[in-house]
Amino acid sequence: MALLNASLCSSTCRIPSRPHLPLPPSVSAFSNPQTMKHQVEATRNFVLSVGESASKASFLALISASLFLADPALAFKGGGPYGAGVTRGQDLTGKDFSGKTLIKQDFKTSILRQANFKGAKLLGASFFDADLTGADLSDADLRGADFSLANVTKANLSNANLEGALATGNTSFRGSIINGADFTDVPLREDQREYLCKVADGVNPTTGNATRETLLCN
């Protein structure tokens, strides 16, 4: 009986077939060999481009990090050989900058106690709010330098040329050596001028101007 039923069903019964499901657009697109080739090529180029950009970014980051770790004084822009050096907001106590060309160098808010700037070219350099206590600025070219709010106490300014430098605010030159320094057109507070006139002496070897005259001493 079972065999009869199976025989009858094999000739009359039909197993419902699965409905045809359309392929997603992305898959259908690949059914065209030419389209598929373009898609693969575009994907490959995109991956290569991303990989190349990531590699460049990683390389630059690695170089920057290695420079910073090797010498934390490498970051800010300025003039002279320290143009790529961090000289702003840094502790540069006792550093030797003697004879260097540091035109328009940025030393804002830095600690420069006992730093050596002897004979350095510091035209237009900024020492805004910097601590130059005991620094050696002798024979330095400081024309147009900014000493606003700076602490220049007990510094050596012998024969330095400060023509046109700024010294506004609470800039202090107390205890500094100024023999032969040229203060032409430096806007000093009256109390600072009076103090410097008490210790002023000598003639600047570069400009030929007497220190007392440049301070407008009586």
Side-chain angles (χ1 to χ4, degrees):
M1 187 69 178
L3 292 174
L4 178 61
N5 289 337
S7 175
L8 290 174
C9 186
S10 63
S11 60
T12 60
C13 298
R14 289 185 179 181
I15 300 174
S17 61
R18 293 181 180 179
H20 176 70
L21 297 176
L23 291 173
S26 58
V27 177
S28 298
F30 283 112
S31 62
N32 185 326
Q34 190 64 27
T35 303
M36 180 177 180
K37 180 179 179 181
H38 288 317
Q39 289 283 6
V40 171
E41 184 66 23
T43 302
R44 187 180 72 85
N45 291 337
F46 174 75
V47 171
L48 289 176
S49 176
V50 172
E52 183 178 358
S53 298
S55 297
K56 287 182 178 179
S58 299
F59 177 73
L60 291 175
L62 179 60
I63 292 297
S64 299
S66 62
L67 286 175
F68 183 79
L69 291 174
D71 185 354
L74 295 176
F76 285 94
K77 294 181 179 180
Y82 281 78
V86 171
T87 55
R88 176 177 178 174
Q90 300 295 306
D91 186 349
L92 300 170
T93 300
K95 288 288 184 180
D96 186 5
F97 298 100
S98 59
K100 304 244 182 237
T101 298
L102 301 166
I103 297 172
K104 294 185 178 180
Q105 190 73 28
D106 191 354
F107 291 98
K108 290 186 184 77
T109 70
S110 287
I111 300 173
L112 297 159
R113 299 187 189 110
Q114 289 81 48
N116 185 2
F117 290 98
K118 182 178 178 63
K121 297 183 184 302
L122 293 155
L123 287 82
S126 179
F127 294 99
F128 180 88
D129 200 22
D131 186 354
L132 287 154
T133 302
D136 186 353
L137 294 159
S138 60
D139 301 304
D141 190 345
L142 295 160
R143 288 175 293 171
D146 186 1
F147 289 97
S148 299
L149 302 178
N151 183 0
V152 200
T153 58
K154 300 180 180 180
N156 185 356
L157 290 162
S158 298
N159 300 324
N161 186 359
L162 294 93
E163 288 182 294
L166 295 176
T168 58
N170 294 322
T171 304
S172 176
F173 291 95
R174 290 275 174 179
S176 292
I177 302 170
I178 62 169
N179 292 344
D182 191 331
F183 286 89
T184 299
D185 297 327
V186 177
L188 295 165
R189 295 195 322 270
E190 192 57 34
D191 64 310
Q192 284 292 296
R193 186 185 307 281
E194 291 178 0
Y195 169 78
L196 291 175
C197 282
K198 293 177 181 178
V199 297
D201 195 13
V203 175
N204 187 275
T206 302
T207 65
N209 296 327
T211 300
R212 287 183 60 80
E213 291 180 2
T214 63
L215 286 168
L216 304 177
C217 300
N218 296 326

